[in-house]
Amino acid sequence: MRRTNSSAHNASGSAGSLYIHVPFCEAKCVYCAFASAIKSPGDEELYLASLEREAALRSEEAGTLDTVYIGGGTPTALSERAWERLTETLERHFDFANDAEFTVEANPNSLTRDHIGIWRNYRVNRVSIGVQSLTDSRLAYLGRIHTAMQAQSAVARSLDAGFSVSADMMFGLPDETIRDWGRDLKSAVALGTRHISIYQLTMEPGTPLAARDTALPDGYAQYRYAQWRLPRHGLAQYEVASFARAGYESRHNLNYWSDGEYLGLGPSAWSYVGGARSKNAPTLAEYARMLESGSPEIYSERLEGEAAARQAAVLALRTAGGVDREKFADRYGEEHARAIMRDIAGFPGDLVDMDAKSVRLTAKGLRVGNAIWNEIV
Ligand code: SF4
């Protein structure tokens, strides 16, 4: 077992953040285009052996970990035995800061008492639960294989175990009223979640939802409602899709949005290390095969100069804090910073807040964020 490092930050300039992708789900939700599949016999073993191999290859790039995020797919689709092996792999290859944030994603139908027990005895301190809705008819529409009651139980059991709990919630179903969405949000807050991420249902090409002859609402009113409602329950908007009580913001995600580096392991995982963004092979079979002869990377790019600065500005503008102008100019250069600020100044004043210190999108600006980011990048 490797030592626990007491330093909270990396002196070496290495990533400090780790993402692990679990490529399994118990069933495919009708809207989902993520890289995940239903397990076949032998898949779990192949995944764990390959992950061990990739961790051995790349752990030096991570340095001391401040944040870890195990997502998917569905991490609770892994058996308890697999979870024990996964934690052993992590201990063998990585060092952790004492106060590292360690998040796992869970689905209500597969979160077991044993998962919770393993996580409690390990380093996990945050659980992000795929609730999506607390109304059974809405869950059925989405092809989720859990009920509202199972979602309530998953949140309650995770809170009882002492984890900080986040709930993913989805809006924009056909014929959805503000009352429907408001009821779901109110129920999610009433459960005691201190972090809520909201996602709009979209038609992803190739999914069963896209094959249905149905129209989805534009979601503007629902999004606006969440911006109004959640802060009244004490959950402030700190990013375009994220709301939290003070102190419960996701440090792992804040690292992404501040253009911080991270190491990603597993099929389809992205990494951003040493200034290069790279992506692993998407399927388990291809990932495992490529690892046998070296790296599982299928794509890599390095943004430089103004392109890198524009990408970083877009990431920062996702957050309530926005762009810190002085730090931004120091990191990306005065000239690029000036060019980007000139572009941002061209947006209407009700979309952007600019002062000498920072530049942020207003609540209205966040509602049309995609259009703004497309103009900047
Ligand atoms: S559980 Fe998540 S990753 Fe799995 S199919 Fe559903 S939406 Fe996709």
Side-chain angles (χ1 to χ4, degrees):
M1 188 177 285
R2 300 194 93 192
R3 73 192 179 284
T4 296
N5 193 309
S6 59
S7 153
H9 297 283
N10 293 295
S12 60
S14 42
S17 253
L18 175 68
Y19 172 76
I20 294 184
H21 187 78
V22 177
F24 306 123
C25 284
E26 295 102 351
K28 283 300 278 186
C29 304
V30 297
Y31 55 88
C32 179
F34 292 130
S36 71
I38 296 163
K39 267 186 295 186
S40 298
D43 278 357
E44 202 166 79
E45 174 60 36
L46 181 64
Y47 170 66
L48 292 166
S50 305
L51 201 66
E52 171 83 38
R53 195 184 283 242
E54 195 185 16
L57 265 182
R58 301 202 65 183
S59 61
E60 292 303 321
E61 298 169 62
T64 302
L65 293 172
D66 288 330
T67 72
V68 179
Y69 194 106
I70 303 187
T74 305
T76 45
L78 288 177
S79 65
E80 290 78 8
R81 176 71 199 112
W83 261 101
E84 277 164 0
R85 274 186 63 187
L86 178 52
T87 60
E88 286 159 15
T89 294
L90 289 171
E91 290 303 296
R92 247 192 309 281
H93 296 288
F94 294 97
D95 293 330
F96 300 84
N98 280 344
D99 66 343
E101 177 191 87
F102 197 122
T103 305
V104 294
E105 287 182 347
N107 266 359
N109 52 292
S110 51
L111 174 64
T112 65
R113 187 196 302 216
D114 286 346
H115 286 127
I116 291 176
I118 291 167
W119 297 344
R120 270 189 70 162
N121 291 329
Y122 188 52
R123 301 176 181 277
V124 175
N125 44 36
R126 192 168 177 275
V127 179
S128 174
I129 302 178
V131 172
Q132 314 307 349
S133 173
L134 287 158
T135 310
D136 283 337
S137 56
R138 289 162 63 83
L139 290 169
Y141 180 86
L142 295 169
R144 303 287 297 180
I145 56 169
H146 59 86
T147 61
M149 202 177 279
Q150 284 176 301
Q152 284 163 1
S153 161
V155 172
R157 287 181 291 132
S158 301
L159 286 169
D160 283 350
F163 299 122
S164 169
V165 175
S166 174
D168 286 353
M169 301 297 293
M170 187 163 271
F171 66 96
L173 281 65
D175 304 324
E176 175 181 80
T177 63
I178 293 293
R179 185 182 289 250
D180 298 331
W181 170 232
R183 204 169 24 229
D184 263 357
L185 281 184
K186 194 171 162 201
S187 304
V189 172
L191 292 175
T193 51
R194 301 211 162 83
H195 187 287
I196 291 181
S197 299
I198 61 169
Y199 298 100
Q200 181 169 1
L201 180 62
T202 53
M203 294 276 190
E204 299 300 324
T207 60
L209 182 66
R212 290 181 189 167
D213 185 20
T214 186
L216 299 179
D218 70 11
Y220 187 91
Q222 287 89 336
Y223 183 77
R224 187 175 180 174
Y225 179 83
Q227 286 184 305
W228 174 79
R229 184 83 242 180
L230 289 173
R232 276 163 182 72
H233 290 298
L235 281 76
Q237 183 169 24
Y238 73 99
E239 189 264 344
V240 65
S242 312
F243 299 76
R245 287 189 187 276
Y248 290 89
E249 298 85 357
S250 162
R251 280 162 47 195
H252 186 82
N253 289 341
L254 283 167
N255 177 59
Y256 288 144
W257 303 318
S258 60
D259 202 19
E261 299 206 332
Y262 50 88
L263 177 65
L265 304 183
S268 84
W270 283 88
S271 293
Y272 178 33
V273 179
R277 284 191 164 76
S278 59
K279 186 177 195 292
N280 281 350
T283 65
L284 173 59
E286 204 181 343
Y287 165 75
R289 187 181 50 72
M290 288 178 74
L291 262 169
E292 275 177 19
S293 51
S295 165
E297 273 178 26
I298 53 165
Y299 170 83
S300 177
E301 71 165 5
R302 182 182 291 274
L303 290 184
E304 273 161 4
E306 188 165 337
R310 286 185 175 276
Q311 171 80 23
V314 166
L315 286 171
L317 286 173
R318 293 180 65 94
T319 66
V323 176
D324 180 312
R325 299 178 70 157
E326 191 179 329
K327 285 190 188 153
F328 190 86
D330 284 349
R331 183 167 171 187
Y332 301 99
E334 279 289 348
E335 190 189 334
H336 301 322
R338 256 199 312 274
I340 294 166
M341 294 310 138
R342 246 194 329 268
D343 288 355
I344 296 175
F347 291 109
D350 60 343
L351 301 182
V352 182
D353 262 344
M354 283 184 100
D355 56 36
K357 220 177 139 7
S358 65
V359 180
R360 303 165 301 278
L361 297 193
T362 61
K364 186 174 179 185
L366 289 170
R367 293 199 282 276
V368 293
N370 280 337
I372 296 176
W373 302 323
N374 285 341
E375 291 288 319
I376 294 171
V377 79

